[in-house]
Amino acid sequence: MKRVPMTEAAASLALLAAVLGLWWAASHGGWISRVFLPTPEATWQSLHEGLRTGDLAAFTAATTWRMVLGWLLASAVGVALGVAIGLSATVRAWLQPTLEFVRPLPASALLPLAIAIFGLSPAMVLSVVAFGAMWPVLLGTIHGLVSVEPRLQEVACCLSLSRAAYVWKIGLPNALPDILAGMRLALTVALIVSVVGEMIASQAGLGQAILLAARAFRASELFAGIVLLGLVGLLSNALLALAERQWLKWQQT
């Protein structure tokens, strides 16, 4: 049984090595101009220098903080609204058309509206990040509450549980897997929208650093920023996956 994870890890490392090898061959072989595709060595040097001097480290911290803050706000609002909507079939019937209209809207498309309301400020980017990341959590919470086993609902009625007690003891535990799945997806959305917001609103972060590097044709710095974005997404998702396994241990018993 232990060979499966080792095999998957070896396959992942082999794929990563193949991608790096292809990148090295394309850049050193002149398949693509180095103006657009730097060598891995140049990218590593830019990454090292940027982290050593503190510029990239500060940009990474700013983007990560913006992502986490927007994600936490989106998670809190999404769960609260999801509980309110999921508990009432009448509310769901009233709000369903509105939710279906607003949900598909790209968060980046609302940036001009947010700029008009908040101006070019950190609050503007944070509001758009929270809006874009809220939907997976909101929909997951609604689905988890709606799909509560009917027998559990009957038990709650027999015990005369209050609405708050029902949500805390039955509703949220049943919805927790859906909520956590939505939060993992929301974290990725928060990172994407944070970067787009930084590019458009000229806020300090990896998005702004990547945009400025692209405009100046500094390909190695651009790729260094992309590498850091990938690492931020990878590490944040891994931490949330670890927390998810801890919180859902009861499902395995």
Side-chain angles (χ1 to χ4, degrees):
M1 297 297 294
K2 295 183 179 179
R3 292 182 180 179
V4 175
M6 293 296 296
T7 303
E8 293 177 352
S12 299
L13 291 176
L15 179 59
L16 178 60
V19 171
L20 291 176
L22 181 61
W23 178 11
W24 185 92
S27 58
H28 282 277
W31 301 353
I32 302 175
S33 172
R34 293 188 184 181
V35 175
F36 305 105
L37 182 66
T39 63
E41 300 93 310
T43 301
W44 171 257
Q45 184 177 359
S46 295
L47 182 62
H48 179 265
E49 290 179 358
L51 292 175
R52 182 174 57 84
T53 59
D55 292 340
L56 276 182
F59 289 148
T60 304
T63 299
T64 303
W65 171 249
R66 188 171 288 113
M67 173 192 72
V68 172
L69 192 59
W71 172 72
L72 290 175
L73 182 59
S75 299
V77 174
V79 171
L81 289 179
V83 169
I85 296 172
L87 287 177
S88 173
T90 303
V91 173
R92 289 197 303 275
W94 277 90
L95 292 182
Q96 189 69 25
T98 303
L99 292 178
E100 291 300 324
F101 173 78
V102 178
R103 179 180 60 84
L105 292 177
S108 56
L110 298 179
L111 279 169
L113 177 61
I115 291 174
I117 296 174
F118 298 102
L120 294 175
S121 64
M124 183 278 294
V125 180
L126 182 62
S127 65
V128 178
V129 171
F131 174 84
M134 175 188 69
W135 294 102
V137 183
L138 172 63
L139 297 178
T141 305
I142 294 174
H143 179 268
L145 286 171
V146 171
S147 61
V148 171
E149 175 67 31
R151 292 182 180 179
L152 292 177
Q153 298 178 6
E154 295 174 1
V155 170
C157 291
C158 293
L159 295 177
S160 299
L161 292 180
S162 64
R163 183 64 63 90
Y166 171 80
V167 170
W168 184 253
K169 296 181 179 181
I170 297 179
L172 285 180
N174 184 81
L176 188 58
D178 292 313
I179 293 174
L180 291 177
M183 289 176 68
R184 288 185 65 179
L185 181 57
L187 191 62
T188 301
V189 175
L191 177 59
I192 295 172
V193 180
S194 295
V195 173
V196 174
E198 290 166 357
M199 289 180 175
I200 295 178
S202 299
Q203 297 294 313
L206 287 176
Q208 185 187 52
I210 290 173
L211 181 63
L212 294 177
R215 288 176 175 175
F217 292 96
R218 298 193 298 266
S220 61
E221 295 181 14
L222 186 152
F223 272 67
I226 293 175
V227 169
L228 283 176
L229 280 178
L231 290 175
V232 169
L234 177 65
L235 292 177
S236 59
N237 183 73
L239 290 175
L240 194 54
L242 179 62
E244 183 178 356
R245 286 196 296 270
Q246 293 296 321
W247 292 337
L248 296 180
K249 276 185 176 181
W250 55 270
Q251 284 189 324
Q252 303 173 4
T253 59

